[in-house]
Amino acid sequence: LGVVVGDVSGHGLGPAIIMAETRAHLRCLATFGSDLREIMNSANRALYADLEDNRYVALLLCGIDISSRRLSYANAGHVPGYLLDRNGDLKLVLEATGIPLGIIDSATYGNNLDIALEPGDMVVLLTDGITEAEDPSGDFFGVERALEIVRDRRHEPAREIVQHLYQATRD
């Protein structure tokens, strides 16, 4: 199972097209193999060739082997992901393993290949739209607040957790 969360620099139609291109590259590359390092390295080279200066793609790519219950990831300068255990305690931070895609053609992206997933573990992937949401006084919503909502609702279906997180961010 592959899961991707990404963010293109800028706003509007141009970045939307870049994200569509990135998605197409990733889908194509994933059909030829599951090594996240090679997928990210290849996607980076393709995007570097296409992007204008000051454009880049921050991206977190996770691979979950359902049968062996293993998680791997590569993070190209995106907001970290989080692995929580069944009690909601932080088990691992999915930190950046490289710079955003499209900046340097020779950039490489490491990944952690053998992270065991235990029953009740939860992979939490956020966007800066959550962590950097501001209240009227200019305070950020933040990672800790987002993770606290996930922890409090960890026994609910994923769809409901996302809905509560979305509503708390909007509020």
Side-chain angles (χ1 to χ4, degrees), residues 112-131:
N112 296 329
L113 291 175
D114 195 26
I115 302 165
L117 295 174
E118 302 297 328
D121 282 356
M122 182 180 296
V123 179
V124 180
L125 305 178
L126 301 171
T127 69
D128 62 2
I130 296 290
T131 60

Side-chain angles (χ1 to χ4, degrees), residues 8-21 51-52 55:
V8 176
S9 60
H11 299 282
L13 182 59
I17 291 170
I18 293 168
M19 186 51 74
E21 175 186 356
L51 297 183
E52 302 170 354
R55 292 284 188 195

